[in-house]
C-alpha cells in the first residue's frame, strides 16, 4: 500500500504574513521578505507533522493510493480524511497495463475519520495476481488557509513557531510536539479499534 501526494500545497495558500505577525517580526523594513522562504518551510513542516499525527489533510490536494489487495471485497478504507471526491480507480495487471473502472461501479463513503471506496454492487473489481488498484482522490478541509478549522490553523501556527524558535536546537530530536499543539489536535486523531469503514 502506498499513498502518493500528487499535488502540493500552493504557496499562495500558506499564511506567511499571518505567521510573521504571530512571531511578532518587524514589518515595513527593507528586506522584510528575506525570511519568507524560511518561514514558508516551517509552515510546510508544521502542516506535514500535524497531518501525519492526525491523518487529516489540511489544504486540499490530489492523492493516489495504491493497494495490491482489498481489505474487504466490498469496501476499501482510504488512509486520510476528509476525502472530498474519488476521481479515478484503475486496475493494473502484473505488467502494468491499466483498465479504468467505470465510476458507476463505486462510490465514496464520506466519513470524518474513516472514508472509503465502496462497491455500488456486491464487490469491488478483482485485483489480478501481481497487480494493483490505484485510487485517485481529492482530500482536504479547505482550498486555502481561511477555510481551515480554527483549532487546526492555530496548531499549525504554534508548531511552526516552535520549529522557528528552536531551529538551531539539536537536542529536540525525539519527535516532541508542544503540549498546546497536542491538545488542539487531539480530537482529530483517529482511534484505531478496527479496520472497517462505516457506511
Amino acid at each position: 500500500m502506498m499513498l502518493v501526494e500528487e499535488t502540493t500545497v500552493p504557496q499562495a495558500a500558506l499564511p506567511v504574513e499571518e505567521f510573521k505577525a504571530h512571531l511578532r517580526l518587524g514589518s515595513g523594513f527593507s528586506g522584510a521578505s528575506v525570511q519568507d522562504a524560511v518561514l514558508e518551510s516551517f509552515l510546510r513542516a508544521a502542516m506535514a507533522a500535524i497531518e501525519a499525527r492526525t491523518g487529516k489533510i489540511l489544504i486540499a490536494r490530489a492523492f493516489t493510493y495504491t493497494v495490491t489487495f482489498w481489505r474487504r471485497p466490498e469496501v476499501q478504507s482510504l488512509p486520510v480524511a476528509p476525502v472530498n471526491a474519488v476521481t479515478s480507480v484503475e486496475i493494473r495487471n502484473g505488467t502494468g497495463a491499466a483498465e479504468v473502472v467505470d465510476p458507476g461501479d463505486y462510490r465514496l463513503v464520506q466519513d470524518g475519520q474513516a472514508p472509503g471506496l465502496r462497491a455500488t454492487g456486491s464487490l469491488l473489481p478483482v485485483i489480478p495476481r501481481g497487480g494493483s488498484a490505484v485510487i485517485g482522490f481529492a482530500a482536504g478541509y479547505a482550498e486555502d488557509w481561511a477555510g481551515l478549522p480554527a483549532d487546526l490553523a492555530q496548531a499549525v501556527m504554534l508548531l511552526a513557531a516552535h520549529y522557528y524558535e528552536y531551529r538551531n536546537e539539536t537536542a529536540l530530536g525525539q519527535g516532541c510536539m508542544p503540549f498546546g499543539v497536542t491538545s488542539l489536535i487531539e480530537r482529530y486523531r483517529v482511534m484505531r479499534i478496527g479496520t472497517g469503514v462505516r457506511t
Side-chain angles (χ1 to χ4, degrees):
M1 297 182 184
M2 181 172 61
L3 179 68
V4 176
E5 184 178 324
E6 297 292 347
T7 58
T8 60
V9 176
Q11 186 175 9
L14 294 172
V16 175
E17 294 305 316
E18 292 93 329
F19 188 36
K20 287 181 182 178
H22 180 82
L23 294 173
R24 298 181 180 176
L25 297 180
S27 61
F29 303 101
S30 62
S33 62
V34 72
Q35 284 199 81
D36 284 7
V38 174
L39 299 179
E40 179 184 322
S41 70
F42 287 131
L43 285 166
R44 288 186 185 278
M47 290 177 66
I50 288 170
E51 288 180 345
R53 187 70 64 98
T54 62
K56 305 298 184 296
I57 302 302
L58 304 183
I59 301 297
R61 49 203 192 274
F63 296 85
T64 55
Y65 185 48
T66 303
V67 297
T68 54
F69 63 92
W70 303 120
R71 287 215 176 251
R72 288 164 52 193
E74 77 283 1
V75 63
Q76 171 64 48
S77 60
L78 298 173
V80 294
V83 174
N84 305 312
V86 173
T87 54
S88 65
V89 177
E90 291 183 354
I91 302 296
R92 296 181 180 173
N93 63 24
T95 65
E99 178 183 346
V100 177
V101 178
D102 187 329
D105 292 341
Y106 58 83
R107 66 182 176 88
L108 170 64
V109 179
Q110 290 190 315
D111 187 288
Q113 296 288 354
L117 178 76
R118 178 173 284 280
T120 52
S122 56
L123 299 173
L124 289 166
V126 173
I127 299 175
R129 184 182 296 276
S132 61
V134 182
I135 305 165
F137 64 91
Y141 280 107
E143 295 291 333
D144 56 26
W145 184 258
L148 282 182
D151 48 359
L152 288 176
Q154 181 66 10
V156 170
M157 287 291 186
L158 290 174
L159 187 56
H162 178 76
Y163 290 159
Y164 180 82
E165 293 297 331
Y166 293 95
R167 60 193 177 278
N168 297 318
E169 180 60 67
T170 59
L172 295 173
Q174 304 303 316
C176 63
M177 195 169 274
F179 172 75
V181 176
T182 56
S183 62
L184 285 167
I185 67 173
E186 185 61 31
R187 75 186 184 101
Y188 294 94
R189 295 183 67 184
V190 178
M191 289 186 64
R192 300 197 182 278
I193 300 172
T195 58
V197 176
R198 294 185 292 277
T199 58

